[in-house]
Amino acid sequence: MIRTTLTAIAATLLAAPAMAEISPSKCRLIRYGDTNTVETFNCDFRQAFGNVQVWSDRWNFEFPIAEQGKSFIRINRIPLTFTRNGQYTLEVSQ
């Protein structure tokens, strides 16, 4: 009986899709170039399995966990910070 119940619970958990909550946030984008530009805007933030997506009316960003430390640097602080060297830094405040 217990084994059947545990098997049913495990099957339900494995079959359920992983849902990630979307959090309205405030973003600050610092773009690097001949002159640095700074833009602050409302954005939406979602994280699932370490993968992060950030999007707004103007910008969309994806930070896959497999690329962390390779194509971008993530700093877990407030604000959460993502940097692509020589390109931009994105700060996300929830």
Side-chain angles (χ1 to χ4, degrees):
M1 173 80 175
I2 292 174
R3 177 179 270 174
T4 304
T5 303
L6 292 176
T7 301
I9 291 171
T12 301
L13 291 174
L14 292 174
M19 299 299 291
E21 183 177 331
I22 298 171
S23 300
S25 303
K26 184 67 91 173
C27 285
R28 182 172 179 248
L29 178 63
I30 305 161
R31 290 184 290 161
Y32 307 119
D34 292 336
T35 59
N36 293 346
T37 60
V38 179
E39 182 179 348
T40 302
F41 52 93
N42 293 323
C43 58
D44 290 316
F45 171 89
R46 179 172 72 172
Q47 177 174 283
F49 305 108
N51 300 307
V52 172
Q53 294 175 304
V54 180
W55 62 93
S56 69
D57 293 338
R58 187 168 172 186
W59 302 103
N60 293 311
F61 301 92
E62 292 200 23
F63 302 101
I65 189 74
E67 289 297 313
Q68 187 171 320
K70 297 174 186 173
S71 65
F72 70 91
I73 299 166
R74 175 180 175 158
I75 300 174
N76 293 324
R77 63 176 182 166
I78 299 174
L80 181 59
T81 304
F82 301 91
T83 299
R84 293 196 189 268
N85 287 330
Q87 297 177 30
Y88 64 83
T89 294
L90 179 67
E91 298 173 342
V92 182
S93 300
Q94 296 178 321

